[in-house]
Amino acid sequence: MEPLLHGVQGFIYPNEIELQWSILIVLYPFITGLVAGAFILASLERVFNVRAVKPTYRLALLTALAFLLIAPLPLQLHLGHPERSLEMFLTPHTTSAMAMFGFMYLWYLLIVLVLEIWLDFRRDIVMMAREKTGAARLFYRVLALGSDNISAESLKLDDKLGRFLTFIGIPSAFLLHGYVGFIFGSIKANPWWSTPLMPIVFLFSAMVSGIALVMLMYMLTSWFRNRPPDMDCLDTIGRYLLYAFIIDFGLEMVDLLHRIYESDESFRTLDFMVRTHLYTSHILIQIILGTILPIGLLAVVQLVQLQESARRTLYAIAGSLTLIGIFAMRWNVVIGGQLFSKSFLGYTTYKMGFATREGVLPALVLMALPFVILWILVKILPPWREE
Amino acid sequence: MRQSLKDREHLLRMLALLVAAIAVFLFVRSIAVPKDYGRFGPFRASALDDIAAMPVVFAGHSACEECHSDVVEARQGSKHTQIHCEICHGPAAAHAADPTASKPARPDGRELCLNCHVINVARPADFPQINPREHGDEGPCTACHPHHHPEP
């Protein structure tokens, strides 16, 4: 306790000195946001008939799956005793949003993502079961559930069912990430979190981060495969990223203006926190570097006629900055909400470990895992096979 | 008709897989969840009987006072009278049942006091608090403050 007190300013209650929600809890909304955003980008093609983004459709689905598989791990690592998470399904607690989210997660993973990917890749799976030999053949046969039927009629049925799944997948993706915002927004004792705008802000920032991630993954995979990325597709994604970003930024500014105008009893404390403790991560990284700059870069592409290579570079920079900015947003919400005392009279400091259970190292490993899973998924189900 | 059934076959297989997964889940649930779970709330009802069957470890201060009238007298007028015997001496049911079989603990005359009286901004300002580095010279508090009536 003694060394921790050096990070404390002013008056603080004893249970507020040490932060309970660590960087792992920052990762959790970041990762689920990427899932929801990637899925919503995929649904653009399927439900809203935006043909230009078709080259990213399957990659977006696989990306969403890779990240969704990892999404609960930060929570498991933070809480410990992963075996107890099963109790959530065995004895459901219907009045707790956190407990019911287990079912939401399962529904989204199994019914929406896995089933949709299976339907979409079924033709490829059957074709590979026919072409391969030995263990690989057996593997693909099991994946195809022993079916060898890829008649036009059966594929039409798959497409119809897949479209229906995407249709119910959009509200599911909204719920998936809206929930994360809901959890923070409904903590009435914390003025930094408690706002009904929270689920909506989280949702739009999720779309922004997911679209940026799929855009970067598409450019990266094209580069690995020595193929030029489809510029029409990239331009369309860039445009949607800009639209989503403007709405997201607008919502955050509405929230900010409302807080300033309302100036309730917590305002002076939060205002001081943003100007001091959170200045780098909130003002510099989240707002200037991670929001205004990428919006500006994406807007330049819309306003000025640029060469393909220049556009590609701008998209790569804007996409990377976007991901940094959205990560900073999650950081500022989760960590920022625990830096000030609920007495509004003091502040504490977040001391992050390195190779501890909730330190930087496990966070980096958790952040790298989805890319490993995606690499395996792409090996099993190459999303560009139909070209 | 036959053809259309054949084209749906893979979907029926997937459906069967999902139904099987749900069946396995329900089967596991029927085994893993105790039968009396949820009768009174989100817990195992028989846990109440289990807890009731646990041995009683506290005797209660009236049991102590039956024999230790000298301590009752010594504590007269002290603010600490509201703190009952077993809070400092630990559970004493075994001692009350057979005084020779076990003796209650005699707590450390410094550690115990500091639990409540070490200086802490979160405590009310008029609550007696000391800085252990400056007060008492590292010795036991009971050297100056009689343990059953510590007020000066």
Side-chain angles (χ1 to χ4, degrees), chain A residues 2 11 14 89-93 103 111 115 118-119 122 144-147 149 151 153-154 157-158 161, chain B residues 3-4 6-11 13-15 17-18 25 28-29 32-34 37 42 120-122 133:
Chain A
E2 195 89 14
F11 179 85
F89 300 106
L90 296 175
T91 52
H93 193 322
F103 288 94
I111 305 300
L115 207 53
W118 184 72
L119 288 171
R122 208 179 63 81
L145 298 182
S147 165
N149 186 2
S151 65
E153 187 60 30
S154 69
L157 265 175
D158 288 354
L161 190 58
Chain B
Q3 186 59 33
S4 89
K6 197 162 174 269
D7 287 331
R8 289 195 176 117
E9 195 197 346
H10 63 284
L11 296 176
R13 285 183 189 190
M14 183 51 105
L15 187 67
L17 197 65
L18 282 175
F25 169 75
V28 170
R29 186 167 186 262
V33 178
Y37 177 90
N120 186 331
V121 284
R133 288 190 195 144

